[in-house]
Amino acid sequence: MEDTPVLSEFEAAPTLAGVDELPPDAYLTVDDVQKQIKRSRASVYRYANTHPDILNPPFDADKLNPEVRRDRDDPLLFHPREVRRFAQDILGLNPTITVQPSEETTTQEILKAILSELRAIRQQLEAQSD
């Protein structure tokens, strides 16, 4: 299941606390941004800070700045904080962005298991040193 962002231009001005607590990999695709700011796909591409000759152009406060890409074939991804900034400052919307966590992947499950093992080892080592 994909992350499901939610934006509403009808709610009161949002606080930044919710966006700051989002996981670092919670990015929005062009389609997500299109749905959230209620603009056409073509508009999102016009708003995006892209350049045909430069892979990652410098930050432009008047544009929607995508995350850094390693290759031209990588899809444009936008951080929810950047989408909110653009929607508020440029489009004059008052969005609220929430991202529902995606279902755990096998990698995430393995990493959690490793973390719990390391915590158990640490507790045993601390108990032995006392």
Side-chain angles (χ1 to χ4, degrees), residues 61-130:
D62 294 332
K63 298 257 185 181
L64 180 59
N65 297 284
E67 290 296 305
V68 175
R69 296 184 296 162
R70 293 188 178 138
D71 188 275
R72 290 205 181 282
D73 295 333
D74 290 346
L76 289 176
L77 296 175
F78 303 91
H79 194 280
R81 189 177 302 122
E82 173 62 13
V83 174
R84 177 188 293 174
R85 180 204 64 82
F86 180 78
Q88 285 178 332
D89 297 350
I90 306 304
L91 300 178
L93 303 175
N94 289 322
T96 298
I97 300 173
T98 58
V99 178
Q100 296 175 349
S102 61
E103 291 182 10
E104 286 193 7
T105 64
T106 305
T107 304
Q108 290 170 327
E109 291 172 5
I110 292 171
L111 289 173
K112 283 186 177 184
I114 292 170
L115 180 60
S116 65
E117 276 292 316
L118 289 173
R119 285 180 176 156
I121 292 169
R122 181 178 182 178
Q123 286 177 351
Q124 287 180 351
L125 291 174
E126 287 175 350
Q128 289 175 357
S129 65
D130 290 339

